[in-house]
Amino acid sequence: MTPPEFPQPVSGPAYGRFFRLLATAMVLVVLAMAARATLRLPEDVAAAQGYWLLGIGMLALLASYWVLMRSTTTIDAHGIRQSGLTDKQVGWHELRSARLFGPPFARRLMVHTANGRLRFFFGGSPELLAAFARIAQASKT
C-alpha cells in the first residue's frame, strides 16, 4: 500500500465531542450512584472493605475518563499515532491495508499491519476524519 503524503501533521482529539459528552454524562451518573451507595453502606461493611473497594473503583473510573479526554491522534510523514492508556503507533512501512468504519460519533480507522496485527485509531475532528478517508482510499488502490 502506498500511503498518502502528509507534509503537515494532522492532529486532534481521538474522540469526538458527542462521545466525550456521553462519557462525561456516564461518569457523573456513576459518581452520583457511588455517593448514594456510600451513604447507604452498613457500618460493618463500610469499616471492613466497602470504602476501599468503592474508592479504588472510582479512581480507576476517573483515570480512564481523564485518559479518554486527553488522548490525541496524530498522522504525519512517519505514520499514525494515538496517545491513551497505552500509546499506539503504526509506521507507514508497516501498513498493509486500512478501512474506515463506525458510527458518525465514533469513527475509527482499522489498519492491518505487516505482522498481521489489527490496530484501531479513533478520530474526533473533521481534519482527522478527512485524513482517515484519504488513508482508506489509498488502501483501495
Side-chain angles (χ1 to χ4, degrees), residues 73-94:
T73 302
T74 302
I75 302 169
D76 59 19
H78 302 288
I80 309 167
R81 292 185 311 278
Q82 184 173 323
S83 66
L85 195 56
T86 59
D87 292 349
K88 296 183 271 188
Q89 182 172 328
V90 173
W92 294 124
H93 65 283
E94 300 175 76

Side-chain angles (χ1 to χ4, degrees), residues 1-6 75-81 89-100 109-121 131-132 134-141:
M1 176 185 146
T2 304
E5 298 214 6
F6 291 96
I75 302 169
D76 59 19
H78 302 288
I80 309 167
R81 292 185 311 278
Q89 182 172 328
V90 173
W92 294 124
H93 65 283
E94 300 175 76
L95 193 65
R96 293 297 171 251
S97 66
R99 186 176 139 216
L100 184 62
L109 182 71
M110 179 180 69
V111 299
H112 292 268
T113 62
N115 62 5
R117 294 179 77 183
L118 284 176
R119 297 281 183 170
F120 295 89
F121 295 93
F132 282 1
R134 285 180 55 205
I135 295 166
Q137 185 62 35
S139 176
K140 291 180 183 179
T141 59

Side-chain angles (χ1 to χ4, degrees), residues 66-80:
W66 185 78
V67 168
L68 183 137
M69 291 297 169
R70 306 236 344 129
S71 60
T72 60
T73 302
T74 302
I75 302 169
D76 59 19
H78 302 288
I80 309 167

